[in-house]
Amino acid sequence: MTRPFKIGGLVTPAEMEGLRAAVDELKAQLAELAPELNLETRLGALPPGFQPPQARSHPDVFIASLLPELGRSPEAPEATESRWRDHLSLLQDTGATVFVCTIYRHIGGIADPDQRRAVLERVRRLNLLAVNLSHSLGVGVIDLDRAFAERGTDTLKTDHRLEGRIAAELTGHTVLSALLSMGLDTALEPGLQEAIRARIGGSLEVLDYLRRRLKSASSGHG
């Protein structure tokens, strides 16, 4: 009997491409390492904003991005934190494992230097919020800021919006690494998770991972 494993993404369209890359890689690894495992991984986009899920069944994992916050009118940091605490608690109440994504601190698409500095300061506060929410609520952090900063803008050819194929693949690697740390325990045994983690590599091997994924995409696979 096939068991569905559902991931809900409350993220931007560019980040959703990264989530798709993560799911594609997970499926490819399972096809090689555990072809007998009847696990159907499904990925769905949640509607903008947070609403209490009303469906009879809920995703096993919720992934929420802080990036859409930059499109909202500025508010007091305390108000933002209170709102996110309420939102993430609603998701946790479904029994799902919840993750929050940080924002890459390379601001693009803004010509005015004062506005760019203001947005950067807001990004720093939001990334700190992710850490605070992790400590207080126990949600996982998908640290896209750290993953992208380690590789650099010249290599990735993107900015905080995470647009482009390379950005999608690095997002996918970062998301899958996080899921293998705490998001897949109900679906995969620890030994299988460790085997996948070893095959995709950590931050030191991520460039090899990106080359493989991009080559696979260009040849029509993955």
Side-chain angles (χ1 to χ4, degrees), residues 65-97:
S65 170
L66 286 162
L67 185 52
E69 284 291 317
L70 299 182
R72 295 176 59 94
S73 298
E75 63 183 355
E78 296 80 8
T80 304
E81 181 167 353
S82 176
R83 178 162 48 81
W84 270 80
R85 285 181 184 279
D86 291 343
H87 294 338
L88 296 183
S89 293
L90 285 173
L91 299 181
Q92 287 180 312
D93 287 346
T94 69
T97 301

Side-chain angles (χ1 to χ4, degrees), residues 95-188:
T97 301
V98 178
F99 291 88
V100 60
C101 299
T102 61
I103 305 171
Y104 179 32
R105 285 175 293 172
H106 178 73
I107 307 304
I110 301 175
D112 180 77
D114 291 334
Q115 184 181 1
R116 192 163 57 247
R117 280 192 292 270
V119 172
L120 178 58
E121 180 56 33
R122 195 173 179 191
V123 166
R124 287 173 175 151
R125 290 199 301 268
L126 289 169
N127 287 347
L128 179 59
L129 172 61
V131 176
N132 292 339
L133 291 170
S134 176
H135 290 164
S136 60
L137 297 179
V139 300
V141 175
I142 299 176
D143 199 350
L144 296 178
D145 178 44
R146 179 177 179 179
F148 278 72
E150 286 179 345
R151 300 279 69 85
T153 302
D154 291 341
T155 300
L156 301 174
K157 299 178 174 55
T158 194
D159 55 33
H160 71 288
R161 295 166 292 186
L162 305 186
E163 296 172 341
R165 188 70 249 160
I166 300 176
E169 294 298 345
L170 181 53
T171 298
H173 182 273
T174 310
V175 168
L176 182 53
S177 297
L179 292 178
L180 290 166
S181 295
M182 64 175 283
L184 295 170
D185 289 347
T186 61
L188 305 179

